[in-house]
Every structure is written in C-alpha cells, then in structure tokens.
Amino acid sequence: MVVAYWIVAALLGLFYLYAGGKKIAQSQEELAPMMGWVDTVPMPAVRLVGAVEILGVAGLVLPPLTGIAPVLAVLAAVGFVVLQVLAAGLHLSRGEAKDTGLNVVLIALAGVAAWLATAF
C-alpha cells in the first residue's frame, strides 16, 4: 500500500504543482486559453486556489515522508476531493459538462490517495 500511495501522490503532486504554479505565476490573459473559468473568477481567488493546490501537495508528501502527523496526508487528499468537486460544480454551472472529465479523474485519484494514506 505504501508504494501505491507514493505513485498516486506523485501523480497528484505533479499535476497540482504544475496547475497551482501556473495559477500563481501567470496573468489572467495567459491562463484564459487553458482555464476559461479565470475570466469569471477574481484573480485573488485564482491565486488562492493555486496556493491551496501547492500547500495540498506539501500535505500529501511531507507528513508521510517525515512521519510527523501522517493524518495530514489523509486530510490533504480529502481536501483535493473537495476542491475538485467544487471545480466540477463551477464547470457545470458554466454549462461546461464536457470539461468535467479531468475533475472526475482527479476526484478518484485523490480518493484513492486518502484511502492509501491510512497506511501511515
């Protein structure tokens, strides 16, 4: 279970570091072609989402790696589930049902990570 956790955590970590980094570092105009929803959300909120994504990766990796408060890995994974449920809701409210496929995959991966993190 530990190896499986690290595989899933690595996949989620790479995705969220990339997505969160883009949200923090790029302008609204640069993000718009990839993330159409940034036009309807204030940029401070977009930046906050990016920061939460990066902090979530730290929550997935650091507690199991250090052995300090490993329950935080479970909470980080559950936080990613909540984040993606909200993201899917945003897409659905904008009439973008076809764009929720990635959200569903990320919800499943984060759910698996939460379950696997209980091994720590």
Side-chain angles (χ1 to χ4, degrees):
M1 281 184 61
V2 173
V3 172
Y5 174 78
W6 285 112
I7 291 169
V8 173
L11 291 171
L12 286 171
L14 290 172
F15 175 82
Y16 283 113
L17 283 177
Y18 175 75
K22 287 184 83 62
K23 289 177 186 111
I24 288 174
Q26 292 186 333
S27 69
Q28 190 173 26
E29 293 78 25
E30 292 171 313
L31 290 172
M34 182 183 201
M35 303 171 199
W37 58 271
V38 298
D39 291 341
T40 58
V41 176
M43 273 314 282
V46 174
R47 303 260 189 253
L48 178 65
V49 170
V52 165
E53 289 173 344
I54 290 171
L55 289 172
V57 172
L60 281 179
V61 174
L62 294 178
L65 194 62
T66 63
I68 300 170
V71 71
L72 293 177
V74 176
L75 296 176
V78 170
F80 281 138
V81 170
V82 171
L83 179 71
Q84 288 305 314
V85 167
L86 294 173
L90 177 67
H91 284 301
L92 292 173
S93 74
R94 291 173 41 95
E96 302 170 342
K98 63 179 175 35
D99 293 336
T100 59
L102 179 60
N103 300 114
V104 171
V105 170
L106 292 170
I107 288 168
L109 280 174
V112 169
W115 173 65
L116 291 171
T118 61
F120 296 105

XYZ file of all heavy atoms in Angstrom:
866
model
N 0.817 -1.200 0.000
C 0.000 0.000 0.000
C 0.857 1.258 0.000
O 0.438 2.268 -0.544
C -0.935 0.004 1.208
C -2.164 -0.878 1.011
S -3.356 -0.832 2.348
C -3.868 0.844 2.394
N 2.000 1.182 0.615
C 2.862 2.362 0.693
C 3.371 2.755 -0.690
O 3.355 3.936 -1.058
C 4.025 2.118 1.679
C 5.011 3.252 1.646
C 3.485 1.919 3.086
N 3.799 1.778 -1.481
C 4.287 2.069 -2.835
C 3.149 2.650 -3.679
O 3.338 3.631 -4.416
C 4.878 0.803 -3.486
C 5.205 1.052 -4.944
C 6.111 0.350 -2.731
N 1.970 2.064 -3.557
C 0.814 2.573 -4.309
C 0.507 4.017 -3.906
O 0.201 4.859 -4.763
C -0.399 1.680 -4.075
N 0.593 4.309 -2.607
C 0.363 5.687 -2.160
C 1.333 6.643 -2.831
O 0.935 7.701 -3.327
C 0.490 5.819 -0.635
C 0.396 7.269 -0.214
C -0.831 7.902 -0.146
C 1.541 8.030 0.043
C -0.930 9.242 0.186
C 1.462 9.362 0.378
C 0.218 9.967 0.442
O 0.127 11.310 0.749
N 2.619 6.290 -2.844
C 3.612 7.199 -3.408
C 3.425 7.386 -4.909
O 3.690 8.476 -5.437
C 5.024 6.745 -3.064
C 5.337 7.035 -1.636
C 5.532 6.144 -0.640
C 5.436 8.334 -1.026
N 5.757 6.794 0.553
C 5.704 8.142 0.342
C 5.312 9.634 -1.501
C 5.857 9.202 1.235
C 5.478 10.692 -0.618
C 5.748 10.472 0.729
N 2.947 6.380 -5.599
C 2.670 6.524 -7.035
C 1.521 7.494 -7.248
O 1.609 8.435 -8.048
C 2.376 5.151 -7.672
C 3.645 4.300 -7.689
C 1.799 5.315 -9.081
C 3.415 2.849 -8.047
N 0.432 7.298 -6.508
C -0.733 8.180 -6.648
C -0.386 9.589 -6.174
O -0.742 10.578 -6.833
C -1.940 7.607 -5.870
C -3.102 8.582 -5.867
C -2.371 6.277 -6.477
N 0.327 9.701 -5.053
C 0.709 11.022 -4.542
C 1.626 11.743 -5.524
O 1.517 12.966 -5.695
C 1.386 10.883 -3.185
N 2.505 11.016 -6.193
C 3.389 11.637 -7.183
C 2.582 12.161 -8.370
O 2.844 13.277 -8.855
C 4.443 10.641 -7.658
N 1.617 11.386 -8.832
C 0.775 11.842 -9.949
C 0.003 13.101 -9.568
O -0.017 14.086 -10.316
C -0.191 10.740 -10.379
C 0.424 9.526 -11.052
C -0.620 8.424 -11.225
C 1.020 9.912 -12.395
N -0.633 13.057 -8.405
C -1.374 14.233 -7.939
C -0.430 15.409 -7.700
O -0.747 16.548 -8.067
C -2.127 13.911 -6.645
C -3.358 13.032 -6.784
C -3.866 12.613 -5.403
C -4.446 13.747 -7.545
N 0.718 15.132 -7.105
C 1.676 16.195 -6.807
C 2.167 16.902 -8.057
O 2.214 18.135 -8.106
N 2.517 16.138 -9.063
C 2.987 16.749 -10.312
C 1.894 17.596 -10.951
O 2.146 18.719 -11.405
C 3.463 15.672 -11.286
C 4.757 14.966 -10.906
C 5.020 13.793 -11.841
C 5.919 15.942 -10.919
N 0.684 17.057 -10.980
C -0.417 17.808 -11.581
C -0.669 19.112 -10.833
O -0.759 20.181 -11.429
C -1.703 16.971 -11.617
C -2.878 17.761 -12.125
C -3.071 17.927 -13.483
C -3.751 18.375 -11.245
C -4.127 18.689 -13.963
C -4.807 19.138 -11.711
C -4.996 19.289 -13.078
N -0.788 19.012 -9.494
C -1.140 20.202 -8.724
C 0.005 21.201 -8.609
O -0.251 22.405 -8.508
C -1.674 19.814 -7.345
C -3.101 19.323 -7.409
C -3.414 18.004 -7.123
C -4.133 20.173 -7.777
C -4.722 17.555 -7.189
C -5.436 19.733 -7.849
C -5.726 18.425 -7.554
O -7.013 17.981 -7.629
N 1.242 20.753 -8.620
C 2.355 21.711 -8.648
C 2.337 22.505 -9.952
O 2.555 23.719 -9.956
C 3.690 20.999 -8.473
C 4.049 20.566 -7.067
C 5.372 19.810 -7.065
C 4.121 21.753 -6.127
N 2.079 21.812 -11.050
C 2.010 22.482 -12.350
C 0.823 23.455 -12.396
O 0.995 24.637 -12.708
C 1.888 21.436 -13.463
C 1.680 22.030 -14.834
C 2.730 22.637 -15.516
C 0.438 21.973 -15.446
C 2.544 23.182 -16.770
C 0.244 22.518 -16.706
C 1.294 23.118 -17.364
O 1.099 23.656 -18.599
N -0.357 22.949 -12.067
C -1.561 23.785 -12.152
C -1.513 24.930 -11.145
O -1.846 26.076 -11.478
C -2.800 22.929 -11.930
N -1.111 24.630 -9.913
C -1.037 25.677 -8.898
C 0.018 26.717 -9.219
O -0.191 27.915 -9.030
N 1.157 26.261 -9.719
C 2.215 27.198 -10.108
C 1.769 28.134 -11.214
O 2.071 29.336 -11.188
N 1.042 27.595 -12.187
C 0.532 28.442 -13.271
C -0.441 29.485 -12.718
O -0.406 30.647 -13.114
C -0.148 27.606 -14.346
C 0.828 26.823 -15.204
C 0.139 26.078 -16.313
C -0.150 26.885 -17.525
N 0.950 27.458 -18.249
N -1.318 29.063 -11.814
C -2.308 29.985 -11.256
C -1.645 31.096 -10.445
O -2.144 32.214 -10.414
C -3.310 29.222 -10.396
C -4.243 28.361 -11.199
C -5.161 27.560 -10.289
C -5.986 26.611 -11.113
N -5.632 25.217 -10.919
N -0.543 30.771 -9.804
C 0.145 31.780 -9.000
C 0.989 32.715 -9.870
O 1.037 33.916 -9.643
C 1.027 31.101 -7.933
C 0.135 30.490 -6.856
C 2.011 32.081 -7.316
C 0.879 29.667 -5.843
N 1.649 32.164 -10.884
C 2.655 32.927 -11.622
C 2.141 33.643 -12.868
O 2.754 34.625 -13.288
C 3.801 32.000 -12.022
N 1.069 33.166 -13.468
C 0.653 33.727 -14.748
C -0.491 34.720 -14.592
O -1.248 34.685 -13.619
C 0.260 32.614 -15.712
C 1.433 31.775 -16.136
C 1.074 30.766 -17.214
O -0.061 30.337 -17.322
N 2.063 30.400 -18.004
N -0.614 35.580 -15.593
C -1.685 36.568 -15.595
C -2.989 35.927 -16.054
O -3.009 34.815 -16.589
C -1.332 37.719 -16.539
O -1.354 37.262 -17.879
N -4.050 36.671 -15.874
C -5.368 36.191 -16.296
C -5.401 35.922 -17.798
O -5.964 34.920 -18.237
C -6.421 37.230 -15.920
C -7.845 36.761 -16.078
C -8.828 37.768 -15.523
O -8.537 38.964 -15.470
N -9.982 37.299 -15.115
N -4.758 36.765 -18.566
C -4.737 36.596 -20.016
C -3.969 35.339 -20.425
O -4.329 34.669 -21.382
C -4.109 37.824 -20.695
C -4.936 39.091 -20.567
C -4.802 39.750 -19.183
O -3.777 39.567 -18.484
O -5.762 40.436 -18.782
N -2.902 35.036 -19.713
C -2.117 33.838 -20.024
C -2.855 32.560 -19.619
O -2.708 31.521 -20.267
C -0.761 33.893 -19.315
C 0.154 34.971 -19.848
C 1.389 35.144 -18.990
O 1.272 35.217 -17.759
O 2.492 35.213 -19.577
N -3.635 32.642 -18.560
C -4.366 31.471 -18.074
C -5.643 31.190 -18.872
O -6.066 30.045 -18.978
C -4.738 31.653 -16.601
C -3.612 31.603 -15.593
C -4.122 31.995 -14.210
C -2.978 30.236 -15.558
N -6.253 32.232 -19.421
C -7.563 32.103 -20.056
C -7.643 31.031 -21.145
O -8.633 30.299 -21.194
C -8.017 33.456 -20.586
N -6.659 30.875 -22.034
C -6.804 29.828 -23.058
C -6.864 28.412 -22.473
O -7.506 27.530 -23.036
C -5.548 29.983 -23.920
C -5.061 31.353 -23.671
C -5.474 31.693 -22.268
N -6.203 28.206 -21.348
C -6.165 26.882 -20.745
C -7.273 26.695 -19.704
O -7.781 25.590 -19.524
C -4.807 26.675 -20.078
C -4.594 25.342 -19.460
S -2.973 25.382 -18.683
C -2.608 23.689 -18.566
N -7.613 27.773 -19.024
C -8.604 27.738 -17.948
C -9.600 28.869 -18.180
O -9.437 29.964 -17.651
C -7.924 27.919 -16.587
C -6.848 26.920 -16.287
S -5.956 27.387 -14.783
C -4.466 26.434 -14.999
N -10.629 28.589 -18.961
C -11.597 29.617 -19.331
C -12.318 30.239 -18.147
O -12.771 31.376 -18.211
N -12.399 29.514 -17.047
C -13.125 29.994 -15.884
C -12.452 31.173 -15.196
O -13.093 31.874 -14.406
C -13.340 28.861 -14.885
C -12.069 28.214 -14.414
C -11.435 27.167 -14.985
C -11.288 28.584 -13.283
N -10.293 26.846 -14.283
C -10.184 27.702 -13.227
C -11.406 29.559 -12.306
C -9.212 27.778 -12.242
C -10.440 29.630 -11.323
C -9.362 28.746 -11.293
N -11.183 31.442 -15.484
C -10.493 32.539 -14.787
C -11.069 33.898 -15.167
O -10.858 34.865 -14.443
C -8.955 32.516 -15.006
C -8.349 31.245 -14.462
C -8.598 32.720 -16.454
N -11.800 33.967 -16.275
C -12.430 35.237 -16.665
C -13.584 35.608 -15.741
O -13.931 36.783 -15.640
C -12.943 35.162 -18.102
C -11.829 35.094 -19.120
O -10.691 35.462 -18.776
O -12.088 34.676 -20.263
N -14.178 34.619 -15.088
C -15.345 34.887 -14.246
C -15.022 34.865 -12.755
O -15.897 35.115 -11.940
C -16.450 33.848 -14.522
O -15.943 32.544 -14.271
C -16.937 33.940 -15.954
N -13.791 34.569 -12.411
C -13.377 34.493 -11.005
C -12.326 35.577 -10.768
O -11.423 35.744 -11.589
C -12.795 33.090 -10.698
C -12.274 33.012 -9.280
C -13.832 32.014 -10.943
N -12.436 36.321 -9.663
C -11.422 37.347 -9.390
C -10.023 36.725 -9.274
O -9.865 35.636 -8.719
C -11.864 37.944 -8.051
C -13.281 37.526 -7.854
C -13.477 36.275 -8.640
N -9.027 37.417 -9.786
C -7.665 36.893 -9.774
C -7.139 36.570 -8.372
O -6.423 35.591 -8.205
C -6.697 37.833 -10.503
C -6.611 37.590 -11.997
S -6.445 35.854 -12.487
C -4.728 35.550 -12.150
N -7.479 37.338 -7.334
C -7.020 36.917 -5.999
C -7.553 35.521 -5.627
O -6.840 34.748 -4.976
C -7.571 37.994 -5.067
C -7.656 39.212 -5.933
C -8.065 38.685 -7.290
N -8.758 35.196 -6.054
C -9.306 33.862 -5.781
C -8.564 32.795 -6.582
O -8.308 31.698 -6.083
C -10.796 33.827 -6.093
N -8.206 33.123 -7.820
C -7.435 32.184 -8.641
C -6.076 31.934 -7.995
O -5.617 30.795 -7.893
C -7.271 32.717 -10.089
C -6.350 31.820 -10.903
C -8.627 32.858 -10.762
N -5.434 32.991 -7.536
C -4.136 32.863 -6.865
C -4.276 32.037 -5.580
O -3.410 31.225 -5.257
C -3.565 34.229 -6.538
C -3.403 35.132 -7.746
C -1.990 35.150 -8.244
N -1.817 36.182 -9.260
C -1.670 35.918 -10.549
N -1.679 34.681 -10.976
N -1.516 36.889 -11.418
N -5.368 32.246 -4.844
C -5.616 31.487 -3.623
C -5.775 29.999 -3.936
O -5.216 29.151 -3.231
C -6.858 32.014 -2.903
C -7.241 31.269 -1.628
C -6.166 31.431 -0.561
C -8.585 31.766 -1.116
N -6.496 29.675 -4.987
C -6.657 28.275 -5.394
C -5.288 27.675 -5.719
O -4.978 26.548 -5.319
C -7.632 28.138 -6.575
C -7.602 26.730 -7.154
C -9.040 28.503 -6.160
N -4.456 28.419 -6.433
C -3.112 27.946 -6.749
C -2.289 27.687 -5.503
O -1.594 26.670 -5.397
N -2.381 28.593 -4.531
C -1.636 28.411 -3.276
C -2.157 27.196 -2.510
O -1.363 26.419 -1.957
C -1.745 29.675 -2.420
N -3.467 27.000 -2.504
C -4.052 25.841 -1.822
C -3.585 24.551 -2.493
O -3.284 23.564 -1.807
C -5.598 25.949 -1.819
C -6.249 24.629 -1.453
C -6.037 27.047 -0.862
N -3.497 24.547 -3.811
C -3.039 23.360 -4.525
C -1.586 23.026 -4.148
O -1.255 21.860 -3.892
C -3.173 23.553 -6.032
C -4.612 23.556 -6.498
C -4.800 23.912 -7.959
O -3.870 24.452 -8.588
O -5.902 23.639 -8.476
N -0.742 24.022 -4.093
C 0.663 23.787 -3.747
C 0.799 23.346 -2.283
O 1.550 22.413 -1.976
C 1.512 25.032 -4.063
C 1.593 25.184 -5.586
C 2.902 24.930 -3.447
C 2.211 26.464 -6.061
N 0.052 23.972 -1.399
C 0.086 23.552 0.008
C -0.474 22.137 0.173
O -0.007 21.372 1.020
C -0.692 24.535 0.878
C -0.039 25.900 1.064
C -0.987 26.857 1.784
C 1.265 25.767 1.816
N -1.466 21.786 -0.651
C -2.009 20.436 -0.609
C -0.977 19.395 -0.992
O -0.929 18.307 -0.414
N -0.136 19.731 -1.965
C 0.946 18.810 -2.349
C 1.897 18.625 -1.170
O 2.323 17.496 -0.877
C 1.696 19.324 -3.599
C 2.922 18.475 -3.878
C 0.769 19.340 -4.803
N 2.209 19.699 -0.495
C 3.070 19.586 0.691
C 2.412 18.687 1.738
O 3.083 17.876 2.384
C 3.354 20.966 1.274
N 1.092 18.782 1.867
C 0.368 17.939 2.807
C 0.350 16.469 2.410
O 0.298 15.583 3.257
N 0.370 16.210 1.106
C 0.427 14.823 0.634
C 1.802 14.199 0.857
O 1.916 13.010 1.125
C 0.120 14.750 -0.860
C -1.318 14.825 -1.327
C -1.371 14.745 -2.846
C -2.161 13.741 -0.718
N 2.851 15.010 0.724
C 4.208 14.476 0.693
C 4.912 14.536 2.049
O 5.479 13.524 2.498
C 5.042 15.228 -0.369
C 6.492 14.803 -0.329
C 4.453 14.992 -1.753
N 4.906 15.692 2.678
C 5.737 15.875 3.871
C 5.347 15.025 5.077
O 6.229 14.421 5.697
C 5.799 17.355 4.244
C 6.516 18.245 3.220
C 6.465 19.692 3.663
C 7.939 17.784 3.008
N 4.082 14.938 5.447
C 3.766 14.128 6.639
C 4.178 12.655 6.516
O 4.848 12.142 7.425
C 2.255 14.296 6.808
C 1.979 15.626 6.193
C 2.916 15.705 5.018
N 3.854 11.964 5.414
C 4.313 10.570 5.324
C 5.839 10.454 5.223
O 6.426 9.512 5.734
C 3.656 10.035 4.055
C 2.558 10.959 3.749
C 2.946 12.283 4.312
N 6.454 11.426 4.574
C 7.906 11.387 4.396
C 8.639 11.562 5.717
O 9.632 10.883 5.978
C 8.316 12.477 3.403
C 9.711 12.409 2.823
C 9.887 11.125 2.022
C 9.951 13.607 1.918
N 8.135 12.455 6.562
C 8.796 12.738 7.835
C 8.267 11.894 8.987
O 8.918 11.792 10.021
C 8.631 14.221 8.216
O 7.231 14.488 8.404
C 9.214 15.138 7.165
N 7.080 11.335 8.821
C 6.461 10.581 9.904
C 5.815 11.465 10.954
O 5.334 10.985 11.975
N 5.773 12.768 10.707
C 5.175 13.718 11.640
C 3.735 13.987 11.203
O 3.495 14.455 10.088
C 5.967 15.035 11.689
C 7.392 14.764 12.145
C 5.276 16.051 12.593
C 8.319 15.955 12.010
N 2.792 13.681 12.047
C 1.360 13.899 11.805
C 0.914 13.348 10.450
O 0.372 14.069 9.622
C 1.022 15.383 11.928
N 1.103 12.060 10.206
C 0.742 11.497 8.901
C -0.742 11.592 8.566
O -1.110 11.469 7.398
C 1.204 10.039 8.990
C 1.400 9.759 10.421
C 1.679 11.062 11.100
N -1.580 11.838 9.564
C -3.006 12.015 9.283
C -3.237 13.220 8.369
O -4.249 13.296 7.673
C -3.819 12.135 10.598
C -3.544 13.455 11.300
C -5.295 11.968 10.319
N -2.291 14.139 8.338
C -2.426 15.306 7.455
C -2.444 14.913 5.984
O -3.039 15.606 5.160
C -1.304 16.311 7.723
C -1.344 16.988 9.092
C -0.149 17.907 9.256
C -2.636 17.743 9.282
N -1.816 13.797 5.637
C -1.860 13.323 4.246
C -3.279 12.925 3.864
O -3.732 13.205 2.747
C -0.901 12.156 4.047
N -3.981 12.293 4.788
C -5.383 11.936 4.541
C -6.198 13.205 4.349
O -7.000 13.309 3.408
C -5.957 11.095 5.699
C -7.435 10.805 5.482
C -5.172 9.807 5.878
N -5.982 14.179 5.223
C -6.729 15.438 5.131
C -6.413 16.198 3.842
O -7.312 16.794 3.231
C -6.442 16.308 6.350
C -6.904 15.735 7.691
C -6.486 16.646 8.840
C -8.395 15.500 7.689
N -5.164 16.175 3.414
C -4.793 16.841 2.163
C -5.489 16.176 0.980
O -6.002 16.862 0.089
C -3.282 16.818 1.974
N -5.510 14.858 0.969
C -6.171 14.144 -0.128
C -7.672 14.425 -0.130
O -8.265 14.654 -1.195
C -5.899 12.648 -0.010
N -8.295 14.428 1.044
C -9.718 14.763 1.127
C -9.937 16.210 0.677
O -10.936 16.518 0.009
C -10.250 14.523 2.562
C -11.649 15.088 2.738
C -10.232 13.034 2.878
N -9.017 17.087 1.013
C -9.106 18.472 0.543
C -9.085 18.563 -0.975
O -9.812 19.371 -1.573
N -8.269 17.730 -1.620
C -8.252 17.705 -3.082
C -9.566 17.179 -3.644
O -10.028 17.644 -4.691
C -7.079 16.885 -3.609
C -5.768 17.618 -3.583
C -4.613 16.972 -3.167
C -5.669 18.940 -3.970
C -3.402 17.639 -3.152
C -4.462 19.619 -3.953
C -3.322 18.964 -3.538
N -10.182 16.217 -2.963
C -11.502 15.742 -3.403
C -12.494 16.906 -3.357
O -13.223 17.152 -4.324
C -11.995 14.560 -2.532
C -13.453 14.250 -2.831
C -11.134 13.329 -2.750
N -12.517 17.622 -2.243
C -13.436 18.755 -2.091
C -13.158 19.816 -3.155
O -14.083 20.342 -3.785
C -13.336 19.357 -0.670
C -14.112 20.657 -0.558
C -13.807 18.348 0.363
N -11.889 20.131 -3.372
C -11.503 21.122 -4.379
C -12.037 20.739 -5.753
O -12.600 21.571 -6.474
C -9.984 21.259 -4.412
C -9.414 22.249 -5.431
C -9.712 23.675 -5.002
C -7.923 22.032 -5.584
N -11.890 19.478 -6.127
C -12.322 19.047 -7.450
C -13.840 18.935 -7.565
O -14.396 19.138 -8.645
C -11.648 17.730 -7.838
C -10.188 17.907 -8.161
C -9.945 18.955 -9.245
O -10.623 18.975 -10.268
N -8.988 19.820 -9.014
N -14.516 18.618 -6.481
C -15.984 18.626 -6.503
C -16.474 20.051 -6.749
O -17.380 20.281 -7.561
C -16.563 18.035 -5.201
C -18.046 18.319 -5.074
C -16.313 16.532 -5.137
N -15.850 21.006 -6.069
C -16.205 22.410 -6.293
C -15.863 22.857 -7.713
O -16.630 23.595 -8.344
C -15.510 23.299 -5.262
C -15.957 23.109 -3.815
C -15.066 23.914 -2.870
C -17.409 23.480 -3.648
N -14.718 22.405 -8.231
C -14.322 22.751 -9.604
C -15.307 22.168 -10.603
O -15.693 22.844 -11.571
C -12.910 22.245 -9.887
N -15.732 20.934 -10.384
C -16.722 20.324 -11.283
C -18.034 21.101 -11.215
O -18.682 21.333 -12.242
C -16.947 18.863 -10.913
N -18.415 21.524 -10.014
C -19.618 22.343 -9.860
C -19.517 23.648 -10.626
O -20.488 24.101 -11.247
N -18.344 24.276 -10.599
C -18.129 25.508 -11.359
C -18.289 25.250 -12.853
O -18.957 26.010 -13.554
C -16.749 26.092 -11.065
C -16.368 27.345 -11.857
C -17.253 28.525 -11.463
C -14.907 27.678 -11.662
N -17.680 24.158 -13.340
C -17.814 23.828 -14.760
C -19.276 23.579 -15.133
O -19.743 24.046 -16.173
C -16.975 22.600 -15.115
C -15.514 22.877 -15.218
N -14.988 23.791 -16.099
C -14.460 22.363 -14.545
C -13.672 23.833 -15.964
N -13.325 22.969 -15.025
N -19.981 22.844 -14.296
C -21.387 22.550 -14.591
C -22.228 23.821 -14.579
O -23.118 23.983 -15.420
C -21.937 21.528 -13.590
C -21.354 20.120 -13.714
C -21.838 19.243 -12.567
C -21.704 19.495 -15.064
N -21.937 24.741 -13.657
C -22.696 25.997 -13.602
C -22.442 26.875 -14.822
O -23.262 27.707 -15.171
C -22.358 26.769 -12.322
O -21.079 27.363 -12.406
N -21.298 26.672 -15.467
C -20.968 27.431 -16.675
C -21.384 26.696 -17.940
O -21.075 27.124 -19.041
C -19.455 27.695 -16.727
C -18.964 28.658 -15.670
C -17.447 28.757 -15.646
N -16.817 28.795 -16.936
C -16.465 29.907 -17.603
N -16.701 31.073 -17.054
N -15.874 29.842 -18.766
N -22.074 25.559 -17.800
C -22.505 24.790 -18.957
C -21.371 24.035 -19.628
O -21.430 23.758 -20.823
N -20.345 23.702 -18.875
C -19.172 23.022 -19.423
C -19.087 21.580 -18.934
O -18.058 21.124 -18.443
C -17.902 23.772 -19.011
C -17.866 25.205 -19.451
C -16.734 26.008 -18.831
O -16.170 25.587 -17.802
O -16.430 27.081 -19.371
N -20.168 20.844 -19.086
C -20.209 19.462 -18.603
C -19.129 18.612 -19.257
O -18.568 17.714 -18.630
C -21.585 18.857 -18.856
N -18.784 18.922 -20.498
C -17.753 18.147 -21.203
C -16.368 18.341 -20.584
O -15.479 17.521 -20.792
C -17.730 18.518 -22.682
C -17.366 19.967 -22.941
C -17.330 20.278 -24.413
C -17.102 21.727 -24.725
N -16.244 22.493 -23.890
N -16.182 19.386 -19.804
C -14.883 19.674 -19.194
C -14.722 19.069 -17.803
O -13.726 19.339 -17.131
C -14.667 21.190 -19.103
C -14.534 21.843 -20.470
O -14.157 21.134 -21.419
O -14.804 23.054 -20.575
N -15.673 18.264 -17.367
C -15.590 17.710 -16.013
C -14.876 16.353 -15.957
O -14.700 15.803 -14.874
C -16.988 17.569 -15.389
O -17.788 16.713 -16.215
C -17.662 18.923 -15.222
N -14.453 15.825 -17.089
C -13.775 14.527 -17.105
C -12.511 14.529 -16.260
O -12.264 13.590 -15.485
N -11.693 15.566 -16.400
C -10.465 15.652 -15.605
C -10.800 15.755 -14.125
O -10.121 15.152 -13.291
C -9.609 16.846 -16.048
C -8.309 17.056 -15.279
C -7.392 15.843 -15.396
C -7.609 18.313 -15.757
N -11.858 16.497 -13.791
C -12.269 16.603 -12.394
C -12.620 15.235 -11.816
O -12.229 14.912 -10.687
C -13.474 17.541 -12.247
C -13.200 18.936 -12.730
O -13.795 19.366 -13.703
N -12.298 19.646 -12.074
N -13.327 14.428 -12.592
C -13.712 13.092 -12.130
C -12.472 12.229 -11.894
O -12.372 11.528 -10.877
C -14.680 12.428 -13.134
C -14.920 10.968 -12.791
C -15.994 13.197 -13.190
N -11.513 12.295 -12.804
C -10.273 11.519 -12.640
C -9.522 11.979 -11.391
O -9.042 11.161 -10.599
C -9.380 11.644 -13.894
C -8.000 11.063 -13.653
C -10.051 10.967 -15.083
N -9.437 13.283 -11.183
C -8.721 13.807 -10.015
C -9.447 13.493 -8.715
O -8.808 13.238 -7.688
C -8.488 15.312 -10.163
C -7.501 15.700 -11.264
C -7.512 17.199 -11.491
C -6.095 15.216 -10.927
N -10.774 13.477 -8.745
C -11.543 13.079 -7.561
C -11.229 11.627 -7.214
O -10.990 11.286 -6.056
C -13.056 13.278 -7.793
C -13.401 14.764 -7.801
C -13.874 12.545 -6.726
C -14.797 15.079 -8.304
N -11.209 10.772 -8.232
C -10.921 9.353 -7.998
C -9.503 9.166 -7.457
O -9.295 8.421 -6.486
C -11.113 8.565 -9.287
N -8.520 9.830 -8.068
C -7.134 9.704 -7.600
C -6.975 10.210 -6.165
O -6.298 9.581 -5.344
C -6.180 10.466 -8.522
C -5.775 9.782 -9.811
C -4.943 10.733 -10.673
C -4.999 8.512 -9.525
N -7.595 11.347 -5.871
C -7.482 11.892 -4.516
C -8.197 10.992 -3.510
O -7.717 10.818 -2.383
C -8.047 13.306 -4.468
N -9.308 10.399 -3.899
C -9.995 9.456 -3.018
C -9.140 8.238 -2.733
O -9.057 7.766 -1.587
N -8.489 7.723 -3.763
C -7.577 6.590 -3.585
C -6.405 6.986 -2.693
O -6.000 6.232 -1.807
C -7.091 6.057 -4.960
C -5.952 5.070 -4.793
C -8.245 5.422 -5.726
N -5.882 8.192 -2.898
C -4.767 8.663 -2.061
C -5.195 8.764 -0.602
O -4.436 8.404 0.303
C -4.254 10.007 -2.569
N -6.410 9.242 -0.359
C -6.904 9.350 1.028
C -6.987 7.971 1.665
O -6.579 7.776 2.810
C -8.268 10.031 1.044
N -7.482 7.003 0.907
C -7.594 5.644 1.433
C -6.204 5.040 1.685
O -5.951 4.456 2.725
C -8.399 4.782 0.459
C -8.430 3.340 0.839
C -9.011 2.801 1.950
C -7.836 2.266 0.124
N -8.816 1.437 1.949
C -8.108 1.089 0.842
C -7.121 2.186 -1.075
C -7.669 -0.165 0.407
C -6.693 0.935 -1.496
C -6.966 -0.206 -0.759
N -5.305 5.203 0.706
C -3.966 4.633 0.848
C -3.165 5.314 1.962
O -2.296 4.687 2.576
C -3.212 4.729 -0.471
C -3.722 3.837 -1.606
C -3.029 4.190 -2.919
C -3.549 2.368 -1.271
N -3.442 6.592 2.212
C -2.699 7.318 3.241
C -3.001 6.799 4.642
O -2.222 7.058 5.572
C -3.017 8.809 3.157
N -4.070 6.050 4.782
C -4.363 5.482 6.101
C -3.352 4.418 6.501
O -3.314 4.009 7.652
C -5.793 4.882 6.138
O -5.873 3.824 5.167
C -6.838 5.941 5.872
N -2.506 3.989 5.547
C -1.466 3.004 5.859
C -0.361 3.610 6.723
O 0.410 2.884 7.348
C -0.847 2.463 4.566
N -0.284 4.927 6.760
C 0.773 5.570 7.541
C 0.290 5.723 8.945
O 0.094 6.274 9.711
C 1.176 6.922 6.926
C 1.776 6.769 5.565
C 1.072 7.092 4.423
C 3.055 6.272 5.410
C 1.617 6.955 3.179
C 3.629 6.129 4.151
C 2.897 6.483 3.038
